[in-house]
Amino acid sequence: MAEEEASWDQSLEEWLITEGYCYAAGMAQLEDGAFYAAAPQEAEAGWGFIFKEDHEEMIMQDDMSEKKMTINEATALKFAAENLKAPPEGLWLGGQKYKITRTDKEYQVGDQTFIYIFAAAPKKGVSIAVTKTQIICAFFDEEKGQTAGNCTKALAAYAEWMVTEGY
């Protein structure tokens, strides 16, 4: 299993990190939203960018009051992938809150189709592809000279390959 995980980390790095369009990437099973692969691999840096253990945050409620809520990032990612919107506590990845700004239930690349979600935070963002069994997240940072367009282009190519391979 560890060998397979390492190969998924390597796959994310080759497709999404090496060209410089994304600074981090992660892959999760659709069934639970929990990341099992991350890049960049060196010193497991990717994990620090994409994942934070359960944590509490003050979340604005509909009535404009704030309520302390426990954030489980895997649950939030799974919810976003299945519902094309953030859960009530928001979409948090790597301890950063992202606002979903674009979704497409039938994003097409070549002959392949998958769900696409784009979420933004100040000067950064995450492009998310949801295939039959996987959730792939590619993160960009404008302060690193990266753009949403190039990040999404890299993600789309990887997601197309994943769908072609049956994932």
Side-chain angles (χ1 to χ4, degrees):
M1 182 71 175
E3 208 172 278
E4 186 175 310
E5 285 176 17
S7 67
W8 284 119
D9 293 346
Q10 180 65 35
S11 177
L12 288 171
E13 183 130 1
E14 288 172 5
W15 282 85
L16 301 171
I17 307 298
T18 305
E19 290 186 45
Y21 296 142
C22 311
Y23 73 90
M27 190 155 23
Q29 293 280 346
L30 180 57
E31 68 187 33
D32 64 8
F35 286 122
Y36 64 87
Q41 297 177 90
E42 188 175 334
E44 296 194 350
W47 288 105
F49 294 130
I50 70 166
F51 173 77
K52 186 173 181 180
E53 294 286 347
D54 289 1
H55 50 102
E56 290 190 337
E57 299 287 346
M58 293 302 289
I59 305 298
M60 183 79 67
Q61 303 300 300
D62 291 337
D63 65 4
M64 303 309 281
S65 66
E66 288 194 336
K67 177 180 172 186
K68 188 179 278 194
M69 297 181 78
T70 300
I71 307 300
N72 178 288
E73 295 184 354
T75 302
L77 182 59
K78 177 180 172 21
F79 183 95
E82 292 176 342
N83 298 284
L84 300 179
K85 65 180 184 179
E89 67 275 15
L91 177 61
W92 293 77
L93 299 169
Q96 171 73 55
K97 187 175 185 178
Y98 291 88
K99 180 179 172 77
I100 294 176
T101 59
R102 252 186 323 216
T103 61
D104 187 339
K105 285 202 275 198
E106 296 184 7
Y107 194 83
Q108 188 161 354
V109 179
D111 292 335
Q112 306 303 329
T113 304
F114 51 88
I115 295 169
Y116 171 73
I117 300 168
F118 180 80
K123 296 198 175 274
K124 58 175 61 175
V126 57
S127 288
I128 303 169
V130 183
T131 67
K132 188 168 49 176
T133 63
Q134 306 298 309
I135 305 170
I136 309 155
C137 297
F139 297 80
F140 74 93
D141 186 336
E142 292 173 5
E143 293 181 354
K144 297 180 188 310
Q146 298 165 340
T147 65
N150 284 337
C151 178
T152 298
K153 181 178 155 191
L155 173 76
Y158 186 57
E160 177 187 25
W161 176 76
M162 291 287 291
V163 172
T164 300
E165 294 297 307
Y167 296 102

